[in-house]
Short mmCIF file of all heavy atoms in Angstrom, two decimals:
data_model
loop_
_atom_site.label_atom_id
_atom_site.label_comp_id
_atom_site.label_asym_id
_atom_site.label_seq_id
_atom_site.Cartn_x
_atom_site.Cartn_y
_atom_site.Cartn_z
N PRO A 402 -200.89 20.86 -108.42
CA PRO A 402 -201.29 19.45 -108.62
C PRO A 402 -202.53 19.06 -107.83
O PRO A 402 -203.36 18.28 -108.32
CB PRO A 402 -200.05 18.67 -108.17
CG PRO A 402 -198.91 19.60 -108.45
CD PRO A 402 -199.45 20.96 -108.12
N PHE A 403 -202.68 19.56 -106.63
CA PHE A 403 -203.89 19.31 -105.84
C PHE A 403 -205.11 19.85 -106.57
O PHE A 403 -206.15 19.18 -106.69
CB PHE A 403 -203.75 19.96 -104.46
CG PHE A 403 -204.92 19.71 -103.54
CD1 PHE A 403 -204.90 18.66 -102.64
CD2 PHE A 403 -206.03 20.55 -103.56
CE1 PHE A 403 -205.99 18.43 -101.79
CE2 PHE A 403 -207.11 20.33 -102.72
CZ PHE A 403 -207.09 19.26 -101.83
N HIS A 406 -205.82 17.72 -109.79
CA HIS A 406 -206.27 16.34 -109.56
C HIS A 406 -207.65 16.28 -108.95
O HIS A 406 -208.48 15.45 -109.34
CB HIS A 406 -205.27 15.62 -108.66
CG HIS A 406 -205.60 14.17 -108.45
ND1 HIS A 406 -205.34 13.20 -109.39
CD2 HIS A 406 -206.20 13.53 -107.40
CE1 HIS A 406 -205.75 12.02 -108.94
NE2 HIS A 406 -206.28 12.19 -107.74
N HIS A 407 -207.95 17.15 -108.00
CA HIS A 407 -209.19 17.02 -107.25
C HIS A 407 -210.33 17.89 -107.78
O HIS A 407 -211.50 17.61 -107.49
CB HIS A 407 -208.94 17.33 -105.78
CG HIS A 407 -207.98 16.38 -105.14
ND1 HIS A 407 -208.30 15.06 -104.91
CD2 HIS A 407 -206.69 16.53 -104.73
CE1 HIS A 407 -207.27 14.45 -104.37
NE2 HIS A 407 -206.28 15.31 -104.24
N VAL A 443 -214.38 16.74 -102.61
CA VAL A 443 -213.11 16.02 -102.48
C VAL A 443 -213.25 14.95 -101.39
O VAL A 443 -213.71 15.25 -100.29
CB VAL A 443 -211.96 16.98 -102.09
CG1 VAL A 443 -210.66 16.21 -101.90
CG2 VAL A 443 -211.79 18.06 -103.15
N ASN A 444 -212.85 13.73 -101.71
CA ASN A 444 -212.81 12.66 -100.72
C ASN A 444 -211.38 12.14 -100.68
O ASN A 444 -210.95 11.40 -101.55
CB ASN A 444 -213.78 11.54 -101.08
CG ASN A 444 -213.98 10.58 -99.92
OD1 ASN A 444 -213.06 10.33 -99.15
ND2 ASN A 444 -215.17 10.01 -99.81
N LEU A 445 -210.65 12.56 -99.65
CA LEU A 445 -209.22 12.26 -99.57
C LEU A 445 -208.90 11.86 -98.13
O LEU A 445 -208.56 12.69 -97.29
CB LEU A 445 -208.40 13.49 -99.99
CG LEU A 445 -206.91 13.31 -100.24
CD1 LEU A 445 -206.63 12.29 -101.32
CD2 LEU A 445 -206.29 14.65 -100.62
N THR A 446 -209.03 10.57 -97.85
CA THR A 446 -208.86 10.11 -96.48
C THR A 446 -207.83 8.98 -96.34
O THR A 446 -207.54 8.56 -95.23
CB THR A 446 -210.20 9.63 -95.90
OG1 THR A 446 -210.75 8.62 -96.76
CG2 THR A 446 -211.19 10.80 -95.80
N HIS A 447 -207.30 8.50 -97.45
CA HIS A 447 -206.31 7.42 -97.40
C HIS A 447 -205.05 7.87 -98.14
O HIS A 447 -205.04 7.94 -99.37
CB HIS A 447 -206.87 6.13 -98.01
CG HIS A 447 -208.12 5.65 -97.33
ND1 HIS A 447 -208.10 5.05 -96.09
CD2 HIS A 447 -209.42 5.70 -97.72
CE1 HIS A 447 -209.33 4.74 -95.74
NE2 HIS A 447 -210.15 5.12 -96.71
N ARG A 448 -203.99 8.14 -97.40
CA ARG A 448 -202.79 8.70 -98.01
C ARG A 448 -202.00 7.68 -98.80
O ARG A 448 -201.45 7.96 -99.86
CB ARG A 448 -201.88 9.31 -96.94
CG ARG A 448 -200.71 10.07 -97.54
CD ARG A 448 -199.82 10.64 -96.48
NE ARG A 448 -198.99 9.61 -95.85
CZ ARG A 448 -198.31 9.79 -94.74
NH1 ARG A 448 -198.38 10.95 -94.11
NH2 ARG A 448 -197.58 8.82 -94.24
N GLY A 449 -201.89 6.48 -98.31
CA GLY A 449 -201.05 5.48 -98.95
C GLY A 449 -199.59 5.65 -98.56
O GLY A 449 -199.24 6.45 -97.68
N SER A 450 -198.72 4.89 -99.23
CA SER A 450 -197.29 4.89 -98.91
C SER A 450 -196.54 5.92 -99.74
O SER A 450 -196.91 6.21 -100.89
CB SER A 450 -196.71 3.50 -99.18
OG SER A 450 -197.38 2.51 -98.42
N VAL A 451 -195.47 6.45 -99.17
CA VAL A 451 -194.61 7.38 -99.89
C VAL A 451 -193.83 6.59 -100.93
O VAL A 451 -193.14 5.62 -100.61
CB VAL A 451 -193.65 8.10 -98.93
CG1 VAL A 451 -192.69 8.99 -99.72
CG2 VAL A 451 -194.44 8.94 -97.92
N ILE A 452 -193.94 7.01 -102.19
CA ILE A 452 -193.24 6.31 -103.27
C ILE A 452 -192.09 7.13 -103.85
O ILE A 452 -191.22 6.59 -104.52
CB ILE A 452 -194.21 5.92 -104.40
CG1 ILE A 452 -194.94 7.16 -104.94
CG2 ILE A 452 -195.20 4.88 -103.91
CD1 ILE A 452 -195.82 6.87 -106.15
N ALA A 453 -192.07 8.43 -103.57
CA ALA A 453 -190.98 9.26 -104.07
C ALA A 453 -190.91 10.56 -103.28
O ALA A 453 -191.95 11.07 -102.84
CB ALA A 453 -191.17 9.58 -105.55
N ALA A 512 -193.20 15.09 -101.14
CA ALA A 512 -193.35 13.63 -101.11
C ALA A 512 -194.60 13.24 -101.88
O ALA A 512 -195.67 13.84 -101.71
CB ALA A 512 -193.46 13.14 -99.67
N GLU A 513 -194.46 12.23 -102.73
CA GLU A 513 -195.58 11.71 -103.51
C GLU A 513 -195.95 10.33 -102.97
O GLU A 513 -195.08 9.53 -102.65
CB GLU A 513 -195.20 11.62 -104.98
CG GLU A 513 -194.78 12.97 -105.58
CD GLU A 513 -194.21 12.84 -106.98
OE1 GLU A 513 -194.09 11.69 -107.47
OE2 GLU A 513 -193.84 13.87 -107.58
N THR A 514 -197.26 10.05 -102.88
CA THR A 514 -197.71 8.77 -102.33
C THR A 514 -198.51 8.00 -103.38
O THR A 514 -198.99 8.57 -104.37
CB THR A 514 -198.58 8.96 -101.08
OG1 THR A 514 -199.92 9.31 -101.48
CG2 THR A 514 -198.02 10.04 -100.17
N ASP A 515 -198.69 6.71 -103.14
CA ASP A 515 -199.49 5.91 -104.07
C ASP A 515 -200.98 6.12 -103.86
O ASP A 515 -201.81 5.52 -104.54
CB ASP A 515 -199.13 4.43 -103.97
CG ASP A 515 -199.29 3.85 -102.58
OD1 ASP A 515 -199.91 4.51 -101.71
OD2 ASP A 515 -198.78 2.73 -102.33
N GLY A 516 -201.33 7.01 -102.93
CA GLY A 516 -202.72 7.42 -102.76
C GLY A 516 -203.01 8.76 -103.41
O GLY A 516 -204.00 9.42 -103.08
N ASP A 517 -202.13 9.19 -104.33
CA ASP A 517 -202.28 10.45 -105.07
C ASP A 517 -202.24 11.67 -104.15
O ASP A 517 -202.94 12.67 -104.39
CB ASP A 517 -203.58 10.46 -105.89
CG ASP A 517 -203.53 9.48 -107.05
OD1 ASP A 517 -202.44 9.30 -107.62
OD2 ASP A 517 -204.58 8.90 -107.37
N CYS A 518 -201.43 11.60 -103.11
CA CYS A 518 -201.24 12.74 -102.22
C CYS A 518 -199.84 13.32 -102.42
O CYS A 518 -198.89 12.59 -102.74
CB CYS A 518 -201.41 12.33 -100.76
SG CYS A 518 -203.03 11.63 -100.37
N ILE A 519 -199.72 14.63 -102.25
CA ILE A 519 -198.43 15.31 -102.31
C ILE A 519 -198.32 16.21 -101.08
O ILE A 519 -199.21 17.03 -100.83
CB ILE A 519 -198.28 16.14 -103.59
CG1 ILE A 519 -198.48 15.29 -104.83
CG2 ILE A 519 -196.91 16.81 -103.63
CD1 ILE A 519 -198.40 16.05 -106.14
N LEU A 520 -197.24 16.05 -100.33
CA LEU A 520 -197.02 16.86 -99.13
C LEU A 520 -195.65 17.50 -99.23
O LEU A 520 -194.71 16.89 -99.75
CB LEU A 520 -197.12 16.01 -97.85
CG LEU A 520 -198.48 15.35 -97.58
CD1 LEU A 520 -198.57 13.98 -98.23
CD2 LEU A 520 -198.72 15.23 -96.08
N GLY A 550 -199.86 11.24 -90.74
CA GLY A 550 -200.63 10.31 -91.56
C GLY A 550 -201.72 10.93 -92.39
O GLY A 550 -202.51 10.22 -93.02
N GLY A 551 -201.78 12.27 -92.42
CA GLY A 551 -202.80 12.94 -93.20
C GLY A 551 -202.47 12.98 -94.68
O GLY A 551 -201.38 12.60 -95.12
N CYS A 552 -203.43 13.46 -95.46
CA CYS A 552 -203.31 13.47 -96.93
C CYS A 552 -202.83 14.81 -97.48
O CYS A 552 -202.56 14.92 -98.68
CB CYS A 552 -204.64 13.12 -97.56
SG CYS A 552 -205.24 11.47 -97.11
N VAL A 553 -202.77 15.83 -96.64
CA VAL A 553 -202.27 17.14 -97.05
C VAL A 553 -201.34 17.66 -95.96
O VAL A 553 -201.43 17.27 -94.80
CB VAL A 553 -203.42 18.15 -97.28
CG1 VAL A 553 -204.30 17.73 -98.45
CG2 VAL A 553 -204.26 18.35 -96.02
N VAL A 574 -211.45 15.42 -95.94
CA VAL A 574 -210.00 15.35 -96.13
C VAL A 574 -209.34 15.05 -94.79
O VAL A 574 -209.61 15.72 -93.79
CB VAL A 574 -209.44 16.67 -96.71
CG1 VAL A 574 -207.94 16.55 -96.94
CG2 VAL A 574 -210.15 17.05 -98.01
N LYS A 575 -208.46 14.06 -94.80
CA LYS A 575 -207.71 13.72 -93.58
C LYS A 575 -206.47 14.59 -93.50
O LYS A 575 -205.71 14.71 -94.48
CB LYS A 575 -207.31 12.25 -93.60
CG LYS A 575 -206.63 11.78 -92.31
CD LYS A 575 -206.33 10.29 -92.36
CE LYS A 575 -205.67 9.81 -91.07
NZ LYS A 575 -205.38 8.36 -91.10
#
Side-chain angles (χ1 to χ4, degrees):
F403 182 94
H406 184 77
H407 298 291
V443 178
N444 192 327
L445 192 59
T446 55
H447 301 286
R448 188 181 75 193
S450 302
V451 176
I452 56 175
E513 301 171 358
T514 80
D515 57 13
D517 291 326
C518 301
I519 304 178
L520 298 89
C552 299
V553 295
V574 182
K575 185 177 181 180

